[in-house]
């Protein structure tokens, strides 16, 4: 029998790798890093065979020539390796990933895209680096479009998580499965709406997103300069509201936000909470336990970690 044994939501930021020594809020950064390690230990204790990683794309695995709303990796999976994150082939649970893709499509729930040769970036590999460190597991990567408008509605992402749960539990093999959401919380990236770039930097970014399929590394140095020059726009009140709802098992109520409303309140980077909504639904919205929340302006992001343990519901 296949079961879902744990869920984890965690912010990601490659500045952890590239600019740790330059981080001013070191105590906050260390507390966040310690929370990642605690979540990693809880994953190890849950002993999953497979980890479904729901993450975002940062225009190193997908480009504007083709942007699906949801993509499932069903074969080879290669990590880009940008900014000190893991690089190269990643182990995929092919039978489960193909069952998942088939179930979503044939069940009429989602016409999700699939890739037999998926390239992922730190939207998934940051979680592999910190949450799966030393764990002998395979993955099922799911990429959610959160940066190239039009974006899938928040409610649609929660529905995806519910469909993933149904498909995983219906798998006839014997699997212990964990689900990780990678991304968020509130932050604003100096990234344009690709449909209407304003100024030289935004036009450069859109060109990188359109032309970078075969040479994305050529654009990376200037991309990093643009990001490092940005000012932080973190909304701790929004982040606390979101994490509190997650703790109550009520994160779906956040689907009341439209894409535009969410960006206005919490920044374009907060669109990544779609991954958390999907993960929470895959755990049947069991109440979460918050491990950490830190405001780290140098990383531009409200950094949070939470764990969802289905055993807490059965013990209640």
């Amino acid at each position: 029998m296949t079961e879902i044994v744990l869920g984890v939501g965690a912010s990601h930021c490659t500045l952890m790798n590239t600019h740790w020594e330059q981080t001013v809020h070191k105590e906050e950064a260390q507390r966040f890093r310690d929370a990642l390690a605690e979540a990693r230990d809880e994953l190890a204790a849950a002993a999953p065979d497979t980890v479904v990683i729901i993450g975002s794309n940062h225009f190193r695995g997908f480009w504007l020539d083709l942007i699906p709303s949801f993509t499932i990796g069903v074969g080879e999976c290669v990590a880009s390796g940008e900014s000190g994150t893991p690089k190269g082939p990643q182990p995929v649970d092919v039978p489960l990933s193909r069952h998942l893709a088939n179930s979503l499509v044939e069940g009429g729930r989602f016409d999700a895209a699939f890739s037999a040769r998926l390239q992922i970036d730190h939207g998934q590999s940051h979680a592999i680096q910190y949450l799966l460190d030393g764990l002998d597991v395979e993955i099922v990567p799911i990429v959610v479009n959160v940066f190239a408008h039009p974006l899938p509605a928040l409610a649609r992402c929660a529905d995806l998580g519910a469909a993933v749960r149904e498909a995983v539990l219906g798998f006839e093999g014997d699997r212990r499965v964990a689900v990780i959401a990678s991304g968020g919380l509130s932050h604003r990236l100096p990234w344009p709406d690709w449909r209407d770039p304003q100024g030289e930097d935004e036009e450069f970014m859109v060109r990188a997103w359109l032309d970078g399929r075969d040479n994305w590394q050529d654009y990376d140095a200037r991309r990093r300069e643009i990001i490092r020059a940005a000012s932080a726009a973190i909304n701790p009140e929004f982040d606390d509201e979101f994490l509190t709802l997650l703790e109550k098992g009520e994160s779906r109520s956040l689907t009341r936000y439209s894409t535009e409303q969410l960006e206005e309140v919490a920044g374009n980077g907060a669109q990544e909470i779609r991954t958390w909504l999907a993960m929470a639904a895959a755990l049947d919205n069991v109440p979460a336990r918050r491990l950490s929340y830190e405001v780290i302006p140098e990383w531009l992001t409200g950094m949070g970690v939470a764990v969802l343990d289905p055993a807490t519901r059965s013990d209640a």
Side-chain angles (χ1 to χ4, degrees):
M1 181 181 75
T2 294
E3 57 183 327
I4 298 176
V5 297
L6 201 71
V8 176
S11 303
H12 59 236
C13 181
T14 58
L15 296 173
M16 286 179 60
N17 296 344
T18 60
H19 289 78
W20 180 264
E21 294 305 320
Q22 292 78 22
T23 299
V24 176
H25 292 75
K26 195 78 77 181
E27 291 185 7
E28 293 87 344
Q30 189 60 58
R31 286 196 296 266
F32 174 76
R33 198 166 189 167
D34 289 345
L36 289 179
E38 183 178 351
R40 180 263 172 213
D41 290 345
E42 295 206 26
L43 280 163
D49 305 296
T50 302
V51 178
V52 177
I53 303 180
I54 307 173
S56 51
N57 164 56
H58 302 82
F59 298 101
R60 294 183 181 89
F62 291 85
W63 289 265
L64 288 176
D65 58 1
L66 182 62
I67 299 283
S69 293
F70 308 107
T71 305
I72 303 170
V74 298
E76 298 174 21
C77 178
V78 179
S80 299
E82 78 279 8
S83 304
T85 54
K87 182 177 183 179
Q90 304 300 313
V92 174
D93 185 339
V94 172
L96 181 58
S97 65
R98 294 185 180 178
H99 165 79
L100 187 59
N102 290 341
S103 297
L104 293 182
V105 174
E106 293 177 1
R109 299 287 295 276
F110 277 85
D111 296 323
F114 65 88
S115 174
R117 184 174 291 156
L118 179 66
Q119 182 171 321
I120 58 173
D121 59 32
H122 68 270
Q124 286 78 28
S125 60
H126 192 277
I128 293 170
Q129 181 176 13
Y130 289 99
L131 295 174
L132 302 185
D133 182 30
L135 303 188
D136 183 18
V137 296
E138 295 182 315
I139 66 170
V140 174
I142 300 179
V143 182
V144 180
N145 170 37
V146 303
F147 288 123
H149 294 270
L151 310 183
L154 294 173
R156 190 66 172 157
C157 295
D159 291 343
L160 173 69
V164 166
R165 175 180 178 81
E166 181 180 323
V168 168
L169 296 180
F171 183 62
E172 294 184 357
D174 186 16
R175 296 284 196 283
R176 293 175 60 83
V177 178
V179 184
I180 291 175
S182 181
L185 300 171
S186 68
H187 61 295
R188 183 173 297 280
L189 296 171
W191 287 12
D193 181 332
W194 67 272
R195 300 165 297 187
D196 185 28
Q198 301 293 316
E200 184 177 336
D201 283 349
E202 291 195 357
E203 290 175 358
F204 166 82
M205 295 293 271
V206 172
R207 181 53 54 188
W209 298 346
L210 184 62
D211 292 345
R213 180 173 294 279
D214 296 319
N215 62 335
W216 62 265
Q217 297 94 333
D218 295 345
Y219 296 94
D220 242 30
R222 185 172 172 188
R223 277 176 50 137
R224 299 290 288 179
E225 290 176 0
I226 293 171
I227 292 171
R228 288 290 294 159
S231 298
I234 301 170
N235 186 337
E237 291 76 18
F238 171 85
D239 293 342
D240 182 65
E241 176 192 10
F242 175 63
L243 291 171
T244 298
L245 288 170
L246 200 71
E247 290 170 316
K248 295 178 179 179
E250 300 174 359
S251 63
R252 189 179 175 93
S253 67
L254 260 293
T255 62
R256 69 182 184 274
Y257 282 97
S258 68
T259 295
E260 292 73 20
Q261 289 169 334
L262 180 59
E263 179 165 348
E264 181 177 349
V265 170
N268 58 353
Q271 305 293 356
E272 289 181 318
I273 69 167
R274 285 165 167 77
T275 67
W276 291 61
L277 293 172
M279 178 274 296
L283 270 289
D284 199 27
N285 290 295
V286 63
R289 181 162 50 88
R290 187 187 315 197
L291 301 186
S292 176
Y293 174 71
E294 305 294 341
V295 175
I296 307 179
E298 306 92 288
W299 295 356
L300 305 179
T301 305
M303 307 295 291
V305 184
V307 170
L308 284 70
D309 185 351
T312 60
R313 176 171 290 168
S314 61
D315 291 345

